[in-house]
Amino acid sequence: MRRTPKVFAAAAMVAALLTGCSSSESNTLTFWNPLTGDDGAYMRQIVQDYNATKPQYPVTFQPMAEADLYTKVYSVVNAEDDIPDVMIMHAARIPEFAGAGVLTTDETLTAAQPQLKRDNYQETAWDAGTVGGKSYGIPLDLHGVIMYYNKDLVAKYGAEGFLDDKVVTLDELATLKGKLPPDTYAFAGLFIPGVVDAGVRNLGGSAEPQPGKVEMTSPQFTTVYSKLVQLQKDGLIAPEDSDSMQVFNSGKALFLPDGTWGLSGHRAIKGLNFGLTNALQMSPDKPVNVLGSHQFVQLKDGSRGKERDKAVAAFVEFVRKNSLKWADSGQIPASRQVFESPEYAKYPQSFLTATSEQQSMLKIDATPHAGFISGALWNHSKDIVWGRVPVAQGLETMQKEIEAKIAEADAAGTKRD
């Protein structure tokens, strides 16, 4: 078919749109985020609700895989092109990107919308966006690994007492030895790295007690892994090759450490009678819930004008007032207006912020090398717990692996301390 000039003009227009005018030249706000799972549908609805208010700059919802998202941050800032107007960043990554000088502080947003302030948010979530005394993020939520339990199985096998103080310990689970049938387990272990992290902090330890000083071979790590190894030997942890979600959802495990984001999935299981409680601990003393936080941040962009910043602030303020829907995804809205509302109190995860005592248990993992530490825990925990590697050897391997990655990052000039 012969192309007419009109066709060429249309094609050129489409090409321009695809290759992209910069974000600052469009009449919409670009909103990058890592919400590619079930939770993305809830944020998409919030964006649609905001756009229905007919703002001057509607928001374009652009989810992408987490790894791609963080890789693109450096490329677009270096190229000074296609920089999003606003994005969601995990709090654990803010020290890295703030240290790299690619983030702006939130001063522009808070100046445009004065209600975007610490008093109006859960304090732990707000503080997670602060690095070196400067605030870079405005929190959307808190989220992390807590504990689900099967109410029917807990009653059947006499484990109700474990929940009296809302804190279940590894020692309590150990008392189930010999009391469960061969195909039923104390817990399913997909999130063993999360159990280890909470257990170590519960004992007063930390993988990185000082920036750059990693202590994976500490007594706390040895104690937590040793107890998990014994539980596995006693047949209390579901088999390594089993599907943890299937094991729990089919009524074959009393407990399941799982993310808050898994709530909607468990709700969808017909006949599953379950409850939520605090993360699995080592001791009932000083329990902790180690959580992450999604934060609204802005990348440095010299071409983005004040009007667009004001529009971003208006969108973030809308979310602050209207994020109850976000609780449907299982997450914990950081907005005080939402998490203190009677409507939110009906959500099962609301217990995490219901009292000052519960809020004091919330800990955000925002250590400088949290990503390297998390990677090592996921890479090696199963080898240790299932006995393929002795505890001491496994911890030493993690220590060396993390130190090597820190050295590699430092050598590449990407140290974020």
Side-chain angles (χ1 to χ4, degrees):
M1 180 179 70
R2 182 182 178 186
R3 292 185 174 183
T4 66
K6 184 177 292 185
V7 171
F8 279 120
M13 183 178 295
V14 170
L17 290 171
L18 292 175
T19 54
C21 51
S22 69
S23 298
S24 61
E25 297 170 349
S26 72
N27 59 359
T28 62
L29 300 180
T30 51
F31 172 33
W32 286 8
N33 61 80
L35 308 176
T36 56
D38 293 342
D39 51 2
Y42 297 98
M43 180 53 68
R44 185 185 296 276
Q45 183 60 57
I46 291 173
V47 170
Q48 290 175 349
D49 291 345
Y50 175 69
N51 289 341
T53 67
K54 307 296 183 183
Q56 180 181 359
Y57 291 92
V59 174
T60 302
F61 181 73
Q62 294 187 3
M64 62 185 79
E66 182 177 330
D68 295 337
L69 177 74
Y70 292 129
T71 299
K72 289 189 70 171
V73 166
Y74 288 114
S75 61
V76 297
V77 171
N78 289 335
E80 298 181 347
D81 189 26
D82 287 335
I83 299 173
D85 294 286
V86 61
M87 65 176 286
I88 283 180
M89 178 173 286
H90 293 89
R93 304 299 298 267
I94 290 179
E96 171 191 349
F97 289 104
V102 302
L103 296 182
T104 66
T105 65
D106 62 17
E107 291 177 340
T108 302
L109 301 183
T110 56
Q113 291 287 340
Q115 295 307 309
L116 298 176
K117 59 183 180 180
R118 188 175 187 270
D119 288 348
N120 287 337
Y121 289 89
Q122 203 286 325
E123 293 87 349
T124 302
W126 181 275
D127 294 344
T130 300
V131 179
K134 297 181 179 179
S135 183
Y136 293 91
I138 294 175
L140 167 66
D141 66 18
L142 291 162
H143 60 270
V145 175
I146 56 173
M147 184 96 106
Y148 294 70
Y149 61 94
N150 184 310
K151 294 180 179 179
D152 297 333
L153 291 184
V154 165
K156 182 176 182 179
Y157 295 108
E160 300 104 317
F162 297 180
L163 294 158
D164 285 349
D165 56 359
K166 299 182 181 178
V167 175
V168 180
T169 67
L170 293 182
D171 287 341
E172 287 175 322
L173 296 185
T175 65
L176 293 170
K177 179 182 179 181
K179 298 180 180 178
L180 305 178
D183 64 346
T184 302
Y185 308 94
F187 78 100
L190 173 62
F191 282 101
I192 280 180
V195 172
V196 172
D197 192 9
V200 168
R201 294 169 189 264
N202 178 217
L203 293 175
S206 172
E208 190 174 7
Q210 299 176 28
K213 184 181 180 181
V214 176
E215 292 187 354
M216 301 301 292
T217 58
S218 68
Q220 291 90 347
F221 270 103
T222 300
T223 299
V224 174
Y225 274 114
S226 296
K227 286 184 179 291
L228 287 169
V229 169
Q230 190 58 53
L231 287 173
Q232 184 275 132
K233 288 181 177 178
D234 291 341
L236 293 171
I237 304 178
E240 180 181 11
D241 60 354
S242 63
D243 182 330
S244 290
M245 299 302 154
Q246 177 63 22
V247 169
F248 182 75
N249 290 340
S250 62
K252 297 300 182 182
L254 280 69
F255 297 96
L256 175 70
D258 190 14
T260 50
W261 53 84
L263 179 59
S264 59
H266 296 303
R267 274 176 162 171
I269 305 301
K270 187 177 181 180
L272 180 63
N273 184 21
F274 71 94
L276 277 64
T277 191
N278 293 299
L280 186 56
Q281 306 286 316
M282 291 292 295
S283 165
D285 297 328
K286 300 180 180 179
V288 297
N289 288 307
V290 183
L291 303 176
S293 175
H294 291 122
Q295 304 255 332
F296 290 102
V297 300
Q298 286 186 291
L299 306 180
K300 287 184 176 178
D301 182 357
S303 64
R304 186 175 55 236
K306 292 182 179 179
E307 290 304 312
R308 298 187 72 84
D309 284 336
K310 289 181 180 178
V312 170
F315 169 60
V316 177
E317 172 65 0
F318 177 87
V319 175
R320 184 185 73 81
K321 293 179 177 177
N322 298 278
S323 51
L324 182 63
K325 191 179 298 295
W326 191 235
D328 287 331
S329 70
Q331 316 290 32
I332 307 154
S335 166
R336 186 171 298 281
Q337 179 172 318
V338 176
F339 76 75
E340 290 185 345
S341 68
E343 293 83 3
Y344 178 66
K346 300 173 184 176
Y347 286 80
Q349 72 269 35
S350 64
F351 80 93
L352 289 160
T353 51
T355 66
S356 57
E357 180 182 7
Q358 277 290 156
Q359 292 193 46
S360 70
M361 294 167 58
L362 304 178
K363 307 296 179 187
I364 296 284
D365 188 3
T367 53
H369 302 99
F372 296 155
I373 294 166
S374 176
L377 289 172
W378 280 97
N379 288 339
H380 301 287
S381 284
K382 284 192 172 182
D383 285 341
I384 297 174
V385 174
W386 269 269
R388 291 188 290 275
V389 176
V391 173
Q393 180 181 334
L395 292 174
E396 186 63 33
T397 298
M398 283 194 271
Q399 177 80 25
K400 292 180 179 177
E401 179 178 299
I402 296 167
E403 289 177 344
K405 288 186 176 181
I406 293 174
E408 181 181 1
D410 289 350
T414 57
K415 182 178 181 180
R416 313 301 178 211
D417 297 346

